[in-house]
C-alpha cells in the first residue's frame, strides 16, 4: 500500500516544508529518499564550508513526524595553510 510522505529540510537557512510529498510503499523507500535528499543538499550547500549540518524530518499524510535523519559534515586540516 502506498502512503504519502513529506520531507521537511532543516539546514543553516532554516526549515523548508515539503508541500508536495511522495507516495512510497515501504520504510526502505522512505530511507532511500531521505538519503538522496541529504546527499544532494550536502553537495549543493556545504561547498567550501568546513562544517555543516542538515536534517530531514519525514511526516506522514496526517502531518505526524515519523522519522528524522541528520547528516553532519566537518573537515579539519592538520597543518597550517601555506601561501602558494
Amino acid at each position: 500500500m502506498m502512503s504519502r510522505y513529506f520531507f521537511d529540510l532543516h539546514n543553516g537557512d532554516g526549515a523548508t516544508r515539503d508541500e508536495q510529498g511522495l507516495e512510497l510503499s515501504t520504510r526502505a523507500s522512505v530511507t532511500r529518499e531521505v538519503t538522496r535528499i541529504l546527499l544532494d543538499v550536502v553537495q549543493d550547500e556545504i561547498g567550501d564550508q568546513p562544517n555543516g549540518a542538515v536534517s530531514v524530518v519525514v511526516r506522514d499524510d496526517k502531518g505526524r513526524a515519523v522519522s528524522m535523519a541528520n547528516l553532519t559534515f566537518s573537515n579539519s586540516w592538520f597543518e597550517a595553510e601555506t601561501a602558494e
Side-chain angles (χ1 to χ4, degrees):
M1 181 172 151
M2 299 285 267
S3 296
R4 184 164 293 276
Y5 294 94
F6 299 85
F7 300 85
D8 300 335
L9 177 65
H10 300 263
N11 60 11
D13 296 332
T16 303
R17 190 171 174 91
D18 177 7
E19 299 296 340
Q20 291 186 306
L22 289 174
E23 287 193 3
L24 300 168
S25 60
T26 65
R27 284 186 173 189
S29 60
V30 172
T31 299
R32 281 191 296 275
E33 182 63 16
V34 167
T35 302
R36 184 197 64 74
I37 292 168
L38 287 173
L39 293 176
D40 284 352
V41 170
V42 166
Q43 277 188 315
D44 292 343
E45 295 186 11
I46 297 294
D48 295 332
Q49 298 177 36
N51 301 300
V54 181
S55 298
V56 174
V57 175
V58 181
R59 292 180 289 115
D60 65 12
D61 59 352
K62 293 177 179 63
R64 297 178 298 208
V66 295
S67 175
M68 182 171 72
N70 302 296
L71 189 71
T72 303
F73 175 80
S74 178
N75 183 39
S76 300
W77 292 93
F78 295 122
E79 46 189 67
E81 184 175 330
T82 59
E84 294 182 28

